[in-house]
Amino acid sequence: MTTANPAALAASRELVIDGRPLRVFDGQLPNVGDYVRGLSRAAFTRTEVARPETAEYKHWATEIKLDALAQQPIFDITRRAVLGFTTPSFGYRPYRAYTNVASFGDMLFTHTDCLPDQHDLTALWYLCEHWDLEWGGETMFFDAQDEVACAVQPRPGRLVIFDGAIKHVGRPPNRICYAPRYTFAIKFERIAATAA
């Protein structure tokens, strides 16, 4: 990958879905186990919804305040990966951070994270110490015709960053998986470079 900013992290995989970028980064979070152990004690509430029309089907989440996020090493890694999406005209700043947890039997729905003209970014970390291919739990990304354009499977400390207008869904783990599927999301809004 060629990035305009030399401080940006190099992606291990890149795709474009309907003109919108998606990049996968591996091997950037060596202490993923620390995060997993912390999340095992976190207070999750069933408050998150995918879309307004699915509001009766809430799933588990826990929020992190942005000032606390800025103190975490995971945020610096994320910020360096986001640098590869910036241009001389615009940059990005975080506006929300939270962790979802899903288990077998949970229902998760397709959604987008922003309107098409916003071009916000979602940074999604998979926080697990081990993940088996047979456990499922992939994040599916769809094109404008609702065809699967890409599937990203959980891996320890994997990060995927994508344009928030790409329709996607996190699939819950399969029946044989007893591990929680933790995904830590940081949402970034696009701003003019003078405000970055």
Side-chain angles (χ1 to χ4, degrees):
M1 176 182 104
T2 304
T3 61
N5 190 325
L9 294 179
S12 52
R13 182 175 168 200
E14 290 187 65
L15 294 112
V16 176
I17 301 172
D18 297 325
R20 298 178 185 276
L22 181 151
R23 297 179 187 158
V24 178
F25 303 83
D26 288 311
Q28 301 296 325
L29 191 65
N31 65 331
V32 66
D34 295 339
Y35 288 95
V36 173
R37 285 184 287 282
L39 289 170
S40 71
R41 297 184 301 276
F44 286 86
T45 57
R46 195 180 282 270
T47 53
E48 193 71 13
V49 296
R51 314 187 301 262
E53 64 270 25
T54 65
E56 63 191 85
Y57 303 100
K58 294 178 173 58
H59 55 273
W60 297 98
T62 186
E63 299 280 335
I64 183 169
K65 294 183 180 191
L66 293 180
D67 56 344
L69 171 68
Q71 305 303 315
Q72 296 293 321
I74 198 170
F75 179 67
D76 186 57
I77 298 166
T78 308
R79 183 191 56 75
R80 289 179 51 220
V82 167
L83 283 175
F85 292 82
T86 62
T87 72
S89 304
F90 63 84
Y92 294 91
R93 73 173 160 219
Y95 68 88
R96 185 178 180 213
Y98 60 98
T99 301
N100 288 320
V101 63
S103 300
F104 173 73
D106 286 337
M107 183 63 210
L108 305 175
F109 291 90
T110 59
H111 62 282
T112 60
D113 293 340
C114 70
L115 297 173
D117 61 345
Q118 287 178 293
H119 298 284
D120 291 350
L121 292 178
T122 297
L124 190 67
W125 285 94
Y126 298 94
L127 299 178
C128 56
E129 293 186 85
H130 169 74
W131 200 266
D132 190 289
L133 176 65
E134 304 303 338
W135 291 356
E138 302 85 0
T139 304
M140 309 293 286
F141 295 90
F142 301 88
D143 64 19
Q145 289 74 44
D146 287 337
E147 292 289 340
V148 175
C150 171
V152 177
Q153 70 179 37
R155 285 197 181 160
R158 169 171 274 181
L159 170 64
V160 58
I161 300 180
F162 57 94
D163 185 305
I166 300 172
K167 186 185 285 187
H168 60 282
V169 62
R171 297 295 187 204
N174 292 331
R175 180 185 299 272
I176 62 169
C177 176
Y178 294 97
R181 178 191 182 273
Y182 293 122
T183 50
F184 175 49
I186 306 172
K187 305 289 183 69
F188 290 85
E189 62 184 338
R190 186 161 84 163
I191 56 172
T194 55

